[in-house]
């Protein structure tokens, strides 16, 4: 172990870690918003809307995230979308994870006992009222874990934006592996950083899961 | 500059070859990940601590880090300690190990979920510990986890795109080659995405068939 | 040190989980061709005793012998593993919940043991399966999966599976307890047939009537000990111990 080298590159990695966290956090916000939209579209009674939701989820889950990023970043300018690497990374990752999160949200809503919806409808609640007052509050708890899993996948998946030259952890690691010839030291630093970030997120998910547990 | 999909046909063969390598990678890495997954599961559950702990550390490490980083380590990293893997091998090993870790976790839970009576039934006939695992417990664990392992294979197909970064001429890399000649990223990435989508549909249909057959033999 | 010429011999069997003693020093010997029924309330230790004979439970003290070979030999690791696998091939065990292998057809359930463990050829094993299935009245189910069978049919296949290893003794652990009442008789009929063929059997059961019909000897266990034993005619009609009387009264009236 070349400790001296590790100390030298560490500051670069700390900056890179901040970028990984920023990108992940912003993509998470976008992803959650997309998930809410797409899940309600998929559960909607209006067929064209439902079809739109299905198409989004199916297309973004059916193709590699890397292609989606490349299409946005390299292909975007052809259709008048010029994005900085960072912005392209956030939007690409957010749209991608949104499709997966939509399935987590939908799964949680469908997991609420059918009788709940029926009971609400017999009182006279409309479809959307049933969703808002009865199903979603119960589903919210059920979706914490799956969304947590999605978020951790997002953090690991954010490594992909190194391929559109966003200087985050994996980009930094790749650069130092080829310039220092010390792959294991570099990998160790990058691995520790990812694990710390993921650990914090996992604990937060645990906390939320307990906080909203139905007593 | 508008879109012009007529740039695609001359490169159909290049993309076809790329798709072929994507399939080769997915199938090979899929097999590696399945076999290694069973091995990981059995090791974690039954191996003595001196073997089980290093394996568990490896699993923990590979679960907590991005695939892309692992590919860099295996391809660019191992060279520097004298292990020079050809890109294709590094890609298969990297993808295979990455998904083996997840498959291992799924199959481990599957083994733990098999009724202990099954082992007792096997042992009462005279099957040894390993024979009971091999003939009775593991086949059931694998059957019960087919849907989850199938999902991993679907993820594997898409994640195989990452090995383009170590220069394997699979679908993404083939698209990049075409783009470097035509400067038409949008058209070619759309084409590549369409091919992935198609391959994904076929894989899903295939996995559904396997699941149905497994379901029928119960 | 071989204790006797019995088929199964249990000497001073003791077993406890923590402070709770399940078996408090049991002695039992079963002669070749003899049929012993073990009855008693749940938690009496009767199943634990039976499972100890097959070494599915490890005794804390005492010896188990099968036809002159000690089952729980003080061997370690691999050596014991080899020993116990060989011994178990000579004992058939039938479980309350069948424990058929759901991923194998009825044929494979029966032939897997002989093929893998005894190196029997496919054809011979298939013939054996067909013969045993005919015997238990399920010849037409040879290619079915267990999930397609009723409980009674499953248990009859489980008996055939155990018989395929040509065991010296058959152990039945509440073989009919998980069955619907109307399916009990078909399993009992198979067990009676084995009895007529002079198979050595140890039967843990809660069916007093069946026990009195097939058993040569009945043991009443309670609280981890054998309270009373004797011929069914005496034990069921004139039990000497108060606990036996109380137990039988409850069961025979139920």
């Amino acid at each position: 172990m070349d400790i001296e080298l590790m100390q030298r590159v560490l500051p670069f990695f700390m900056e890179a870690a901040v970028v990984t966290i920023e990108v992940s956090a912003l993509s998470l916000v976008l992803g959650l918003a997309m998930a809410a939209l797409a899940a309600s579209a998929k559960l909607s009674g209006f067929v064209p809307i439902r079809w739109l939701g299905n198409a989004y989820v199916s297309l973004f889950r059916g193709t590699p995230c890397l292609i989606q990023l490349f299409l946005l970043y390299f292909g975007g300018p052809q259709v008048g979308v010029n994005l900085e690497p960072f912005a392209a990374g956030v939007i690409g990752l957010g749209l991608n994870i949104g499709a997966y999160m939509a399935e987590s949200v939908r799964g949680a809503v469908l997991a609420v006992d059918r009788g709940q919806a029926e009971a609400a409808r017999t009182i006279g609640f409309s479809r959307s009222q049933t969703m808002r007052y009865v199903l979603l509050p119960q589903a919210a708890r059920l979706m914490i874990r799956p969304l947590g899993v999605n978020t951790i996948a997002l953090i690991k998946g954010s490594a992909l934006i190194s391929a559109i030259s966003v200087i985050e952890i994996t980009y930094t690691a790749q650069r130092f592996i080829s310039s220092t010839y010390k792959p294991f030291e570099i990998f160790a630093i990058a691995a520790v950083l990812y694990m710390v970030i993921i650990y914090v997120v996992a604990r937060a998910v645990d906390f939320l899961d307990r906080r909203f547990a139905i007593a | 500059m508008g879109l012009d999909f007529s740039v695609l046909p001359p490169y159909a063969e290049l993309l076809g070859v790329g798709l072929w390598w994507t399939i080769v990678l997915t199938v090979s890495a899929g097999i590696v990940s399945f076999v290694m997954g069973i091995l990981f599961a059995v090791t974690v559950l039954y191996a003595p601590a001196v073997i089980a702990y290093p394996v568990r550390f490896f699993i923990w490490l590979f679960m907590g880090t991005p695939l892309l980083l692992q590919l860099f380590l295996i391809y660019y990293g191992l060279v520097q300690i004298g292990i020079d893997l050809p890109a294709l091998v590094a890609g298969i090993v990297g993808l295979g190990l990455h998904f083996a870790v997840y498959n291992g976790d799924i199959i481990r839970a599957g083994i733990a979920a098999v009724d202990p009576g099954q082992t007792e039934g096997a042992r009462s006939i005279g099957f040894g510990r390993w024979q009971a695992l091999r003939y009775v417990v593991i086949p059931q664990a694998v059957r019960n986890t087919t849907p989850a392992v199938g999902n991993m294979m679907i993820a594997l197909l898409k994640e195989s795109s990452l090995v383009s970064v170590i220069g394997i001429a699979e679908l993404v890399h083939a698209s990049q080659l075409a783009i470097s000649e035509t400067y038409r990223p949008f058209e070619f990435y759309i084409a590549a995405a369409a091919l992935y989508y198609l391959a994904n549909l076929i894989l899903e249909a295939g996995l559904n068939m396997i699941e149905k057959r497994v379901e029928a033999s119960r | 040190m071989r204790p006797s010429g019995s088929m199964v011999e249990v000497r001073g069997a003791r077993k406890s989980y923590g402070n709770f003693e399940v078996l408090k020093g049991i002695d039992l010997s079963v002669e070749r061709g003899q049929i012993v029924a073990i009855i008693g309330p749940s938690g009496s230790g009767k199943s634990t005793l039976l499972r100890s004979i097959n070494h599915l439970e490890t005794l804390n003290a005492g010896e188990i012998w099968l036809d002159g070979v000690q089952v729980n030999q003080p061997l370690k690791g691999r050596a014991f593993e080899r020993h116990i696998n060989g011994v178990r091939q000579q004992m058939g065990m039938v479980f309350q919940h069948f424990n058929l292998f759901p991923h194998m057809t009825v044929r494979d359930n029966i032939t897997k043991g002989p093929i893998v463990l005894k190196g029997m050829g496919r054809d011979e094993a298939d013939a054996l399966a067909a013969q045993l299935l005919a015997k238990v009245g399920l010849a037409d189910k040879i290619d079915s999966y267990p999930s397609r069978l009723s409980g009674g049919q499953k248990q009859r296949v489980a008996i055939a599976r155990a018989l395929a290893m040509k065991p010296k003794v058959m152990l039945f652990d509440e073989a009919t307890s998980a069955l619907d009442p109307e399916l009990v008789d078909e399993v009992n009929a198979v067990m009676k047939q084995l009895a007529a063929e002079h198979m050595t059997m140890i039967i843990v059961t809660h069916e007093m009537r069946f026990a009195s019909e097939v058993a040569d000897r009945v043991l009443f266990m309670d609280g981890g000990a054998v309270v009373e034993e004797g011929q069914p005619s005496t034990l069921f009609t004139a039990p000497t111990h108060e606990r036996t009387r109380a137990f039988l009264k409850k069961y025979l009236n139920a």
Side-chain angles (χ1 to χ4, degrees), chain A residues 17 21 37 39 52 57 61 66 70 100-101 117 146 148 156 167 187 196 198 205 211:
Chain A
I21 293 168
L37 275 176
L52 211 64
V57 171
R61 292 186 47 173
L66 190 64
F70 283 172
Y100 287 89
M101 288 178 156
K156 283 184 277 181
I167 305 171
F187 178 79
V196 168
I198 288 169
V205 171
R211 175 78 178 67

PDB file of all heavy atoms in Angstrom, chain A residues 17 21 37 39 52 57 61 66 70 100-101 117 146 148 156 167 187 196 198 205 211:
ATOM      1  N   ALA A  17     -16.024  13.336  -4.875  1.00  0.00           N
ATOM      2  CA  ALA A  17     -17.123  12.757  -4.097  1.00  0.00           C
ATOM      3  C   ALA A  17     -18.269  13.758  -3.966  1.00  0.00           C
ATOM      4  O   ALA A  17     -19.442  13.385  -4.043  1.00  0.00           O
ATOM      5  CB  ALA A  17     -16.632  12.314  -2.727  1.00  0.00           C
ATOM      6  N   ILE A  21     -22.094  13.140  -5.065  1.00  0.00           N
ATOM      7  CA  ILE A  21     -23.236  13.362  -4.167  1.00  0.00           C
ATOM      8  C   ILE A  21     -24.229  14.352  -4.783  1.00  0.00           C
ATOM      9  O   ILE A  21     -25.439  14.129  -4.787  1.00  0.00           O
ATOM     10  CB  ILE A  21     -22.753  13.869  -2.781  1.00  0.00           C
ATOM     11  CG1 ILE A  21     -21.965  12.751  -2.080  1.00  0.00           C
ATOM     12  CG2 ILE A  21     -23.932  14.322  -1.925  1.00  0.00           C
ATOM     13  CD1 ILE A  21     -21.202  13.201  -0.852  1.00  0.00           C
ATOM     14  N   LEU A  37     -45.117  11.119 -11.389  1.00  0.00           N
ATOM     15  CA  LEU A  37     -45.881  11.363 -12.616  1.00  0.00           C
ATOM     16  C   LEU A  37     -46.182  10.054 -13.344  1.00  0.00           C
ATOM     17  O   LEU A  37     -47.330   9.770 -13.702  1.00  0.00           O
ATOM     18  CB  LEU A  37     -45.067  12.268 -13.556  1.00  0.00           C
ATOM     19  CG  LEU A  37     -45.170  13.771 -13.337  1.00  0.00           C
ATOM     20  CD1 LEU A  37     -44.225  14.500 -14.282  1.00  0.00           C
ATOM     21  CD2 LEU A  37     -46.616  14.206 -13.572  1.00  0.00           C
ATOM     22  N   ALA A  39     -46.015   6.916 -12.349  1.00  0.00           N
ATOM     23  CA  ALA A  39     -46.829   5.935 -11.637  1.00  0.00           C
ATOM     24  C   ALA A  39     -48.301   6.334 -11.687  1.00  0.00           C
ATOM     25  O   ALA A  39     -49.171   5.497 -11.932  1.00  0.00           O
ATOM     26  CB  ALA A  39     -46.359   5.797 -10.189  1.00  0.00           C
ATOM     27  N   LEU A  52     -48.894   6.599 -22.213  1.00  0.00           N
ATOM     28  CA  LEU A  52     -47.701   7.445 -22.118  1.00  0.00           C
ATOM     29  C   LEU A  52     -46.805   6.984 -20.960  1.00  0.00           C
ATOM     30  O   LEU A  52     -45.580   6.867 -21.098  1.00  0.00           O
ATOM     31  CB  LEU A  52     -48.136   8.900 -21.903  1.00  0.00           C
ATOM     32  CG  LEU A  52     -47.234   9.979 -22.482  1.00  0.00           C
ATOM     33  CD1 LEU A  52     -47.206   9.888 -23.992  1.00  0.00           C
ATOM     34  CD2 LEU A  52     -47.707  11.359 -22.024  1.00  0.00           C
ATOM     35  N   VAL A  57     -41.814   4.215 -18.984  1.00  0.00           N
ATOM     36  CA  VAL A  57     -41.191   3.211 -18.114  1.00  0.00           C
ATOM     37  C   VAL A  57     -40.542   2.111 -18.954  1.00  0.00           C
ATOM     38  O   VAL A  57     -39.403   1.703 -18.717  1.00  0.00           O
ATOM     39  CB  VAL A  57     -42.235   2.615 -17.141  1.00  0.00           C
ATOM     40  CG1 VAL A  57     -41.655   1.420 -16.403  1.00  0.00           C
ATOM     41  CG2 VAL A  57     -42.688   3.676 -16.143  1.00  0.00           C
ATOM     42  N   ARG A  61     -36.515   1.591 -19.105  1.00  0.00           N
ATOM     43  CA  ARG A  61     -36.030   0.374 -18.448  1.00  0.00           C
ATOM     44  C   ARG A  61     -35.537  -0.641 -19.455  1.00  0.00           C
ATOM     45  O   ARG A  61     -34.805  -1.561 -19.112  1.00  0.00           O
ATOM     46  CB  ARG A  61     -37.135  -0.249 -17.595  1.00  0.00           C
ATOM     47  CG  ARG A  61     -37.487   0.603 -16.387  1.00  0.00           C
ATOM     48  CD  ARG A  61     -38.472  -0.116 -15.508  1.00  0.00           C
ATOM     49  NE  ARG A  61     -38.023  -1.502 -15.303  1.00  0.00           N
ATOM     50  CZ  ARG A  61     -38.588  -2.348 -14.474  1.00  0.00           C
ATOM     51  NH1 ARG A  61     -39.625  -1.995 -13.795  1.00  0.00           N
ATOM     52  NH2 ARG A  61     -38.138  -3.557 -14.338  1.00  0.00           N
ATOM     53  N   LEU A  66     -26.454   3.928 -20.182  1.00  0.00           N
ATOM     54  CA  LEU A  66     -25.314   4.546 -20.871  1.00  0.00           C
ATOM     55  C   LEU A  66     -25.749   5.117 -22.214  1.00  0.00           C
ATOM     56  O   LEU A  66     -25.356   6.226 -22.587  1.00  0.00           O
ATOM     57  CB  LEU A  66     -24.214   3.493 -21.077  1.00  0.00           C
ATOM     58  CG  LEU A  66     -22.862   4.027 -21.569  1.00  0.00           C
ATOM     59  CD1 LEU A  66     -22.214   4.949 -20.550  1.00  0.00           C
ATOM     60  CD2 LEU A  66     -21.923   2.879 -21.912  1.00  0.00           C
ATOM     61  N   PHE A  70     -25.604   8.967 -23.538  1.00  0.00           N
ATOM     62  CA  PHE A  70     -24.928   9.334 -24.782  1.00  0.00           C
ATOM     63  C   PHE A  70     -25.889  10.046 -25.736  1.00  0.00           C
ATOM     64  O   PHE A  70     -25.527  11.014 -26.389  1.00  0.00           O
ATOM     65  CB  PHE A  70     -24.348   8.080 -25.467  1.00  0.00           C
ATOM     66  CG  PHE A  70     -23.088   7.576 -24.830  1.00  0.00           C
ATOM     67  CD1 PHE A  70     -22.538   6.357 -25.221  1.00  0.00           C
ATOM     68  CD2 PHE A  70     -22.439   8.316 -23.839  1.00  0.00           C
ATOM     69  CE1 PHE A  70     -21.370   5.883 -24.638  1.00  0.00           C
ATOM     70  CE2 PHE A  70     -21.273   7.844 -23.254  1.00  0.00           C
ATOM     71  CZ  PHE A  70     -20.732   6.625 -23.652  1.00  0.00           C
ATOM     72  N   TYR A 100     -37.457   3.340 -13.075  1.00  0.00           N
ATOM     73  CA  TYR A 100     -37.389   2.229 -12.104  1.00  0.00           C
ATOM     74  C   TYR A 100     -38.202   2.562 -10.856  1.00  0.00           C
ATOM     75  O   TYR A 100     -38.900   1.731 -10.296  1.00  0.00           O
ATOM     76  CB  TYR A 100     -35.931   1.946 -11.732  1.00  0.00           C
ATOM     77  CG  TYR A 100     -35.175   1.264 -12.842  1.00  0.00           C
ATOM     78  CD1 TYR A 100     -34.518   2.002 -13.824  1.00  0.00           C
ATOM     79  CD2 TYR A 100     -35.138  -0.124 -12.937  1.00  0.00           C
ATOM     80  CE1 TYR A 100     -33.848   1.383 -14.863  1.00  0.00           C
ATOM     81  CE2 TYR A 100     -34.463  -0.757 -13.969  1.00  0.00           C
ATOM     82  CZ  TYR A 100     -33.825   0.002 -14.927  1.00  0.00           C
ATOM     83  OH  TYR A 100     -33.167  -0.620 -15.954  1.00  0.00           O
ATOM     84  N   MET A 101     -38.083   3.832 -10.414  1.00  0.00           N
ATOM     85  CA  MET A 101     -38.805   4.239  -9.206  1.00  0.00           C
ATOM     86  C   MET A 101     -40.317   4.208  -9.440  1.00  0.00           C
ATOM     87  O   MET A 101     -41.077   3.916  -8.519  1.00  0.00           O
ATOM     88  CB  MET A 101     -38.350   5.630  -8.763  1.00  0.00           C
ATOM     89  CG  MET A 101     -36.945   5.615  -8.182  1.00  0.00           C
ATOM     90  SD  MET A 101     -36.367   7.244  -7.699  1.00  0.00           S
ATOM     91  CE  MET A 101     -35.144   6.802  -6.454  1.00  0.00           C
ATOM     92  N   ALA A 117     -59.336  -0.079  -1.268  1.00  0.00           N
ATOM     93  CA  ALA A 117     -59.883   0.721  -2.358  1.00  0.00           C
ATOM     94  C   ALA A 117     -61.394   0.519  -2.451  1.00  0.00           C
ATOM     95  O   ALA A 117     -62.154   1.481  -2.608  1.00  0.00           O
ATOM     96  CB  ALA A 117     -59.208   0.345  -3.675  1.00  0.00           C
ATOM     97  N   PRO A 146     -38.116  -0.128  -1.345  1.00  0.00           N
ATOM     98  CA  PRO A 146     -37.777  -0.230  -2.774  1.00  0.00           C
ATOM     99  C   PRO A 146     -37.154   1.052  -3.317  1.00  0.00           C
ATOM    100  O   PRO A 146     -36.198   0.991  -4.084  1.00  0.00           O
ATOM    101  CB  PRO A 146     -39.117  -0.504  -3.457  1.00  0.00           C
ATOM    102  CG  PRO A 146     -40.058  -0.903  -2.394  1.00  0.00           C
ATOM    103  CD  PRO A 146     -39.517  -0.488  -1.079  1.00  0.00           C
ATOM    104  N   GLY A 148     -35.411   3.115  -1.639  1.00  0.00           N
ATOM    105  CA  GLY A 148     -34.051   3.138  -1.088  1.00  0.00           C
ATOM    106  C   GLY A 148     -33.108   2.300  -1.939  1.00  0.00           C
ATOM    107  O   GLY A 148     -31.982   2.710  -2.242  1.00  0.00           O
ATOM    108  N   LYS A 156     -24.557   4.157  -7.421  1.00  0.00           N
ATOM    109  CA  LYS A 156     -23.559   3.348  -8.127  1.00  0.00           C
ATOM    110  C   LYS A 156     -23.620   3.633  -9.632  1.00  0.00           C
ATOM    111  O   LYS A 156     -22.601   3.681 -10.309  1.00  0.00           O
ATOM    112  CB  LYS A 156     -23.785   1.862  -7.832  1.00  0.00           C
ATOM    113  CG  LYS A 156     -23.279   1.477  -6.451  1.00  0.00           C
ATOM    114  CD  LYS A 156     -23.404  -0.006  -6.197  1.00  0.00           C
ATOM    115  CE  LYS A 156     -24.789  -0.361  -5.730  1.00  0.00           C
ATOM    116  NZ  LYS A 156     -24.921  -1.807  -5.448  1.00  0.00           N
ATOM    117  N   ILE A 167     -16.412  15.006 -13.802  1.00  0.00           N
ATOM    118  CA  ILE A 167     -15.298  14.597 -12.951  1.00  0.00           C
ATOM    119  C   ILE A 167     -15.804  14.170 -11.582  1.00  0.00           C
ATOM    120  O   ILE A 167     -15.715  14.899 -10.598  1.00  0.00           O
ATOM    121  CB  ILE A 167     -14.257  15.737 -12.851  1.00  0.00           C
ATOM    122  CG1 ILE A 167     -13.832  16.122 -14.282  1.00  0.00           C
ATOM    123  CG2 ILE A 167     -13.027  15.283 -12.069  1.00  0.00           C
ATOM    124  CD1 ILE A 167     -12.982  17.353 -14.360  1.00  0.00           C
ATOM    125  N   PHE A 187      -8.363   2.146  -6.351  1.00  0.00           N
ATOM    126  CA  PHE A 187      -9.660   1.470  -6.214  1.00  0.00           C
ATOM    127  C   PHE A 187     -10.128   1.518  -4.766  1.00  0.00           C
ATOM    128  O   PHE A 187     -11.313   1.741  -4.491  1.00  0.00           O
ATOM    129  CB  PHE A 187      -9.548   0.018  -6.685  1.00  0.00           C
ATOM    130  CG  PHE A 187     -10.824  -0.763  -6.542  1.00  0.00           C
ATOM    131  CD1 PHE A 187     -11.845  -0.619  -7.466  1.00  0.00           C
ATOM    132  CD2 PHE A 187     -11.017  -1.644  -5.472  1.00  0.00           C
ATOM    133  CE1 PHE A 187     -13.026  -1.334  -7.345  1.00  0.00           C
ATOM    134  CE2 PHE A 187     -12.196  -2.351  -5.339  1.00  0.00           C
ATOM    135  CZ  PHE A 187     -13.207  -2.204  -6.275  1.00  0.00           C
ATOM    136  N   VAL A 196     -19.126   4.658   1.862  1.00  0.00           N
ATOM    137  CA  VAL A 196     -19.549   5.587   2.908  1.00  0.00           C
ATOM    138  C   VAL A 196     -20.853   6.269   2.490  1.00  0.00           C
ATOM    139  O   VAL A 196     -21.817   6.334   3.268  1.00  0.00           O
ATOM    140  CB  VAL A 196     -18.444   6.644   3.191  1.00  0.00           C
ATOM    141  CG1 VAL A 196     -18.995   7.770   4.046  1.00  0.00           C
ATOM    142  CG2 VAL A 196     -17.256   5.983   3.879  1.00  0.00           C
ATOM    143  N   ILE A 198     -23.081   5.222   0.349  1.00  0.00           N
ATOM    144  CA  ILE A 198     -24.176   4.248   0.325  1.00  0.00           C
ATOM    145  C   ILE A 198     -24.602   3.879   1.747  1.00  0.00           C
ATOM    146  O   ILE A 198     -25.784   3.719   2.034  1.00  0.00           O
ATOM    147  CB  ILE A 198     -23.750   3.007  -0.483  1.00  0.00           C
ATOM    148  CG1 ILE A 198     -23.699   3.369  -1.967  1.00  0.00           C
ATOM    149  CG2 ILE A 198     -24.708   1.840  -0.250  1.00  0.00           C
ATOM    150  CD1 ILE A 198     -23.056   2.326  -2.847  1.00  0.00           C
ATOM    151  N   VAL A 205     -32.498   5.343   5.022  1.00  0.00           N
ATOM    152  CA  VAL A 205     -33.668   4.559   4.605  1.00  0.00           C
ATOM    153  C   VAL A 205     -34.204   3.759   5.795  1.00  0.00           C
ATOM    154  O   VAL A 205     -35.407   3.729   6.050  1.00  0.00           O
ATOM    155  CB  VAL A 205     -33.311   3.618   3.427  1.00  0.00           C
ATOM    156  CG1 VAL A 205     -34.465   2.665   3.147  1.00  0.00           C
ATOM    157  CG2 VAL A 205     -32.980   4.434   2.192  1.00  0.00           C
ATOM    158  N   ARG A 211     -39.437   5.165  11.114  1.00  0.00           N
ATOM    159  CA  ARG A 211     -40.206   6.353  11.455  1.00  0.00           C
ATOM    160  C   ARG A 211     -41.664   6.223  10.989  1.00  0.00           C
ATOM    161  O   ARG A 211     -42.585   6.627  11.666  1.00  0.00           O
ATOM    162  CB  ARG A 211     -39.513   7.547  10.796  1.00  0.00           C
ATOM    163  CG  ARG A 211     -40.194   8.884  10.903  1.00  0.00           C
ATOM    164  CD  ARG A 211     -39.997   9.515  12.258  1.00  0.00           C
ATOM    165  NE  ARG A 211     -40.630  10.810  12.305  1.00  0.00           N
ATOM    166  CZ  ARG A 211     -41.944  10.996  12.246  1.00  0.00           C
ATOM    167  NH1 ARG A 211     -42.715   9.956  12.143  1.00  0.00           N
ATOM    168  NH2 ARG A 211     -42.450  12.211  12.303  1.00  0.00           N
TER     169      ARG A 211
END
